[in-house]
DNA sequence: ATGTTC
């Protein structure tokens, strides 16, 4: 986009001035000039549309990694007040409900693990189901699937996948309230019955990484991180179930908007008042989708431990944190100094509670919530910590963010040669889809280093550690 | 993101 149309408020905060007669709330864009210039004009159009939706509280915002999405931009944050006619939108959550990252810290250094990295890559590839429509070893009957939707990661731990300590370090302790499996279609449930414990495709991955650099020693110590340490990150979501909920409710919410006379600036912004029947139905289905994703990452954590232990019996893998970046959450935030209960849509945006937030586990209370910014294949990831300077409804960036579309990437790169190039850099890629690898070429993403740096400079979160990839399993 | 044009 052309940054001339924006007005700079602070070094890393911009606004889009309203045109005469334009009826909408304030739009705020976090970033520097380079990141904003590289964004599609559609991002601006989309976030201005969001700012025109009913019941918005405060400003509609984009994070430094924002890019064009369905209706809402990816990297978009918008909070709505149910009492003021505020809406909920499936496009504001994203198709992959509760897509997120589970990060595990190990008791091994890269030096210890170097001799068996190839074996680790092969075994992970063998044991972690990945790819479109790929099913796992777990097949659930309808009643069991409903239990997943109600119980989330707590259900998974009860089944023997992981332990109680995992739950302590998952957002919402592994299970959100308000899930209503009865609001999830039979088709959505059917699609999921064989997909628990699977990675999926696209930008999802399981990575073995090494802590390459520590930015903040005090916070790193609280997070249990040190240079040279081996880390595992699992990026995935609610698979077929979440996608089907999104598809189902786009239609239902569009009908509701029409029935209730809500004027939509874009039909992709299908939404309904939070207090309407359809709004409540979607909330119940979305919360079921969140629990599905939390259970999924918990089972994948178990498979990761099983695989790793098979190669290196003394490994200990503890959950550092598990955080989603596609959700709508009911939270209390201050608007003009007054606390209000809001529904915060974060689509491709990570929650980042500041130090002393009551929902944080004791271990992290003094330093803030771990925030995971996942990089593109082969480029590295960042661990950050929530900051008291955040004024974006406790939200921050979630990843590098695409710079080129999947089609553009396919024209420019070849999967096989990318894998060869990365292997020369000491990064082992395993994937069944060469097309998928080409679509995920590192060059198709923005520079994650700049995203993390600007995220910190903008006061959204503080950098704690940089993780360099060693093994990457792609869908 | 996605049984990748349900």
């Amino acid at each position: 986009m052309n940054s001339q149309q924006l007005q700079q408020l602070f070094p890393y905060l911009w606004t889009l001035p309203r045109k005469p007669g334009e009826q909408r709330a304030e739009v705020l864009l976090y970033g520097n000039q380079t990141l904003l210039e590289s964004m599609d004009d559609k991002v601006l159009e989309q976030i201005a549309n969001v700012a025109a939706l009913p019941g918005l509280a405060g400003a509609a915002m984009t994070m430094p990694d924002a890019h064009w999405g369905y209706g809402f931009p990816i990297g978009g944050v918008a909070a709505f007040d149910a009492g003021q006619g505020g809406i909920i939108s499936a496009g504001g959550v994203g198709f992959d409900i509760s897509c997120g990252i589970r990060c595990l810290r190990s008791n091994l250094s890269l030096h210890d693990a170097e001799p068996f990295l190839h074996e680790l890559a092969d075994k992970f590839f063998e044991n972690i189901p990945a790819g479109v429509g790929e099913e796992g070893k777990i097949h659930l009957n309808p009643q069991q699937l409903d239990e997943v939707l109600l119980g989330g990661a707590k259900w998974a731990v009860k089944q023997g996948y992981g332990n109680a300590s995992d739950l302590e370090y998952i957002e919402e302790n592994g299970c959100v309230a308000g899930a209503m499996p009865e609001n999830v279609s039979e088709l959505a449930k059917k699609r999921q019955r064989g997909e628990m414990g699977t990675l999926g495709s696209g930008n999802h991955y399981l990575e073995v990484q090494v802590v390459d650099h520590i930015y903040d020693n005090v916070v790193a110590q609280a997070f249990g991180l040190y240079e040279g340490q081996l880390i595992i990150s699992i990026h995935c979501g609610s698979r077929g179930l979440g996608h089907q909920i999104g598809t189902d409710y786009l239609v239902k919410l569009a009908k509701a908007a029409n029935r209730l006379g809500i004027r939509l600036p874009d039909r992709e912004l299908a939404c309904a008042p939070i207090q309407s029947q359809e709004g409540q139905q979607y909330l119940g289905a979305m919360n079921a989708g969140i629990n599905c994703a939390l259970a999924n990452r918990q089972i994948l954590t178990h498979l990761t431990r099983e695989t790793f232990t098979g190669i290196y019996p003394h490994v200990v893998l503890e959950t550092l944190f598990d955080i989603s970046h596609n959700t709508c959450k009911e939270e209390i935030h201050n608007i003009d100094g007054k606390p209000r209960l809001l529904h915060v849509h974060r689509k491709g945006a990570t929650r980042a509670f500041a130090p002393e937030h009551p929902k944080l586990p004791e271990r992290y209370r003094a330093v803030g919530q771990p925030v995971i910014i996942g990089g593109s294949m082969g480029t590295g990831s960042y661990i950050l910590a929530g900051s008291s300077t955040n004024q974006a409804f406790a939200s921050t960036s979630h990843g590098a963010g695409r710079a080129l579309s999947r089609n553009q990437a396919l024209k420019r790169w070849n999967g096989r040669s990318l894998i060869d190039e990365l292997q020369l850099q000491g990064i082992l890629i395993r994937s069944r889809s060469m097309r998928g690898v080409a679509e995920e070429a590192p060059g198709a993403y923005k520079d994650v280093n700049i995203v993390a740096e600007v995220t910190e400079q903008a006061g959204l979160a503080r950098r704690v550690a940089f993780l360099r990839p060693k093994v990457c399993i792609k869908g």
Side-chain angles (χ1 to χ4, degrees):
Chain A
M1 68 176 71
N2 180 355
S3 61
Q4 297 287 313
Q5 57 197 311
L6 303 177
Q7 186 191 335
Q8 190 168 10
L9 301 174
F10 292 101
Y12 299 93
L13 186 62
W14 310 63
T15 189
L16 176 66
R18 273 172 283 244
K19 293 176 196 134
E22 193 178 4
Q23 293 294 311
R24 63 161 172 85
E26 187 180 24
V27 159
L28 292 174
L29 302 104
Y30 284 92
N32 64 7
Q33 189 151 357
T34 314
L35 284 172
L36 290 166
E37 291 279 354
S38 75
M39 280 176 203
D40 197 295
D41 281 326
K42 277 276 175 187
V43 173
L44 213 49
E45 187 186 317
Q46 290 189 322
I47 202 64
N49 285 339
V50 171
L53 293 173
L56 185 82
M61 305 172 186
T62 61
M63 299 294 108
D65 56 339
H67 54 114
W68 179 11
Y70 185 93
F72 279 58
I74 295 160
V77 175
F80 293 88
D81 187 330
Q84 313 241 328
I87 55 87
I88 180 151
S89 166
V93 172
F95 273 79
D96 190 7
I97 296 168
S98 198
C99 183
I101 301 181
R102 166 76 65 109
C103 195
L104 308 170
R105 56 174 173 246
S106 80
N107 59 339
L108 289 178
S109 68
L110 175 62
H111 182 261
D112 301 326
E114 201 91 63
F116 55 84
L117 277 183
H118 271 90
E119 195 185 353
L120 209 52
D122 293 338
K123 290 289 179 200
F124 275 135
F125 188 50
E126 209 175 295
N127 294 345
I128 305 287
V132 176
E134 192 68 28
E135 301 204 331
K137 284 181 185 154
I138 301 164
H139 287 264
L140 302 179
N141 66 34
Q143 192 198 328
Q144 289 168 319
L145 191 73
D146 279 0
E147 288 170 14
V148 170
L149 303 187
L150 287 170
K154 282 186 180 163
W155 172 88
V157 167
K158 216 178 282 171
Q159 305 300 307
Y161 304 118
N163 54 58
S165 165
D166 290 330
L167 296 177
E168 197 181 343
Y169 297 103
I170 304 174
E171 189 179 16
E172 318 286 351
N173 296 120
C175 176
V176 292
M180 292 192 265
E182 64 273 29
N183 294 353
V184 178
S185 70
E186 288 307 314
L187 178 58
K189 292 176 183 174
K190 193 177 142 208
R191 284 179 68 172
Q192 194 60 30
R193 283 175 59 183
E195 287 191 348
M196 292 310 299
T198 66
L199 205 54
S201 65
N203 64 0
H204 290 168
Y205 57 74
L206 182 148
E207 260 188 13
V208 180
Q209 306 157 325
V210 57
V211 178
D212 194 62
H213 182 71
I214 297 278
Y215 289 86
D216 185 323
N217 284 311
V218 173
V219 184
Q221 197 172 3
F223 288 177
L225 299 173
Y226 53 89
E227 272 180 27
Q229 181 183 21
L230 215 61
I231 299 289
I232 311 242
S233 294
I234 304 166
H235 178 207
C236 66
S238 52
R239 308 286 286 106
L241 180 121
H243 192 266
Q244 191 62 46
I245 292 173
T247 305
D248 292 341
Y249 277 91
L250 275 173
V251 178
K252 285 187 191 184
L253 295 175
K255 283 182 184 161
N258 187 43
R259 177 170 61 81
L260 297 164
I262 297 174
R263 262 199 68 248
L264 298 178
D266 174 356
R267 56 180 290 277
E268 292 184 355
L269 287 173
C271 63
I274 294 157
Q275 290 180 342
S276 70
Q277 195 190 356
E278 292 88 343
Q280 287 295 309
Q281 280 174 352
Y282 175 67
L283 263 172
M286 182 206 62
N287 283 324
I290 291 179
N291 284 336
C292 173
L294 295 178
N296 193 29
R297 289 198 286 275
Q298 185 61 43
I299 295 171
L300 284 165
T301 297
H302 172 78
L303 294 177
T304 300
R305 286 179 175 138
E306 227 176 39
T307 303
F308 213 135
T309 308
I311 296 169
Y312 193 88
H314 301 299
V315 73
V316 178
L317 297 171
E318 293 175 317
T319 296
L320 167 66
F321 212 62
D322 183 307
I323 186 79
S324 304
H325 46 241
N326 277 359
T327 59
C328 178
K329 291 264 172 81
E330 199 173 25
E331 296 168 6
I332 295 167
H333 290 280
N334 282 341
I335 303 271
D336 301 326
K338 283 182 193 145
R340 279 164 69 183
L341 185 62
L342 303 172
H343 281 76
V344 184
H345 292 68
R346 294 189 187 90
K347 179 191 195 178
T350 307
R351 192 196 72 186
F353 283 152
E356 303 307 329
H357 193 286
K359 277 198 161 183
L360 288 179
E362 192 62 41
R363 179 175 178 150
Y364 305 145
R365 192 71 56 81
V367 294
Q369 182 206 296
V371 173
I372 309 163
I373 296 188
S376 51
M377 183 177 64
T379 57
S381 301
Y382 281 83
I383 307 279
L384 299 89
S387 169
S388 52
T389 56
N390 186 299
Q391 293 184 43
F393 299 108
S395 310
T396 181
S397 314
H398 82 303
R402 286 202 88 88
L404 297 177
S405 73
R406 294 187 179 280
N407 273 329
Q408 285 171 304
L410 278 178
K411 282 180 202 152
R412 202 174 294 192
W413 288 284
N414 169 278
R416 189 70 253 168
S417 28
L418 271 174
I419 290 178
D420 293 342
E421 278 168 39
L422 288 167
Q423 177 143 358
L424 287 175
Q425 296 171 35
I427 303 165
L428 307 173
I429 308 290
R430 297 286 185 274
S431 175
R432 283 169 186 82
S433 166
M434 288 311 111
R435 180 198 164 104
V437 170
E439 286 179 352
E440 291 296 315
Y445 282 82
K446 294 194 233 294
D447 185 341
V448 71
N449 300 298
I450 295 176
V451 168
E453 188 184 354
V454 170
T455 298
E456 177 173 288
Q457 288 163 334
L460 295 168
R462 299 161 294 149
R463 282 176 294 181
V464 177
F466 172 65
L467 312 177
R468 187 161 52 84
K470 292 303 293 178
V471 171
C472 179
I473 312 298
K474 292 291 284 185

